[in-house]
């Protein structure tokens, strides 16, 4: 995405590609599940049992955190795709509106040319300054 002054450009396919990669970053949750299911045997005394509880708590916390991050990455993927869709739809709508407006103006010039007996180019040359692109 690049901007320079009065316009912004986005490559929707590049954004969708990046979104897909972001969304798939934690596609494989097996390392976290393996870590969570790893059994610890610290012993049968107080400090060992405490240590096992701490390790199990950390294992569970790691899986929960990874699951949350995976959900966030999925949301980012979905949001980036929605933004790309919205920008493309807006661009298409704007292009159709411009085409319609230009087509209307061309028809108006043709009518004026017909009514005045002039050519459309002559009528277009009589437009106020800045109202048309005067290319030959």
């Amino acid at each position: 995405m690049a901007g320079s002054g009065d316009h912004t450009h986005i490559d929707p396919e590049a954004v969708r590609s990046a979104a897909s990669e972001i969304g798939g970053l934690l596609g494989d949750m097996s390392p976290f599940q393996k870590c969570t299911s790893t059994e610890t045997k610290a012993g049968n005394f107080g400090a060992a049992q405490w240590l096992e509880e701490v390790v199990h708590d950390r294992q569970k916390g790691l899986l929960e955190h990874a699951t949350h991050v995976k959900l966030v990455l999925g949301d980012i993927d979905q949001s980036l795709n929605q933004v790309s869709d919205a920008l493309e739809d807006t661009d298409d709508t704007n292009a159709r509106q411009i085409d319609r407006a230009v087509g209307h103006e061309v028809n108006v010039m043709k009518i004026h040319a017909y009514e005045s007996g002039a050519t459309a180019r002559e009528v277009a040359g009589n437009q106020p300054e800045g109202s048309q692109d005067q290319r030959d």
Side-chain angles (χ1 to χ4, degrees), residues 3 18 25 29 31 33 48 53 55 70 74-75 85 94 100 118 128 134:
L25 284 175
M29 295 291 288
Q33 294 162 342
E53 282 182 37
V55 169
K70 180 179 180 171
D75 288 345
D85 292 345
N94 289 343
R100 194 173 15 248
Q134 296 185 0

Side-chain angles (χ1 to χ4, degrees), residues 54-132:
V54 169
V55 169
H56 288 234
D57 183 55
R58 297 303 186 270
Q59 288 170 319
K60 181 181 169 189
L62 178 63
L63 181 60
E64 288 174 357
H65 181 69
T67 301
H68 180 73
V69 170
K70 180 179 180 171
L71 291 173
V72 169
L73 294 174
D75 288 345
I76 291 170
D77 178 359
Q78 182 180 19
S79 295
L80 287 172
N81 279 296
Q82 288 172 346
V83 165
S84 292
D85 292 345
L87 288 172
E88 280 186 322
D89 290 345
T90 300
D91 191 42
D92 290 344
T93 299
N94 289 343
R96 283 192 303 276
Q97 289 174 344
I98 289 170
D99 285 346
R100 194 173 15 248
V102 168
H104 173 73
E105 290 300 317
V106 167
N107 287 335
V108 167
M109 284 191 301
K110 286 179 180 178
I111 290 169
H112 288 306
Y114 176 77
E115 290 173 349
S116 69
T119 66
R121 175 167 249 146
E122 290 169 339
V123 171
N126 295 329
Q127 295 296 315
E129 192 173 317
S131 67
Q132 74 166 35

Side-chain angles (χ1 to χ4, degrees), residues 8 18 20-21 27 33 45 64 66 82 84 99 101 108 133 135-136:
T8 301
S20 177
E21 289 181 32
Q33 294 162 342
F45 53 97
E64 288 174 357
Q82 288 172 346
S84 292
D99 285 346
V108 167
D133 186 3
R135 289 184 232 159
D136 289 314

Side-chain angles (χ1 to χ4, degrees), residues 21-34:
E21 289 181 32
I22 290 169
L25 284 175
L26 286 180
D28 181 12
M29 295 291 288
S30 63
F32 301 104
Q33 294 162 342
K34 184 177 180 181

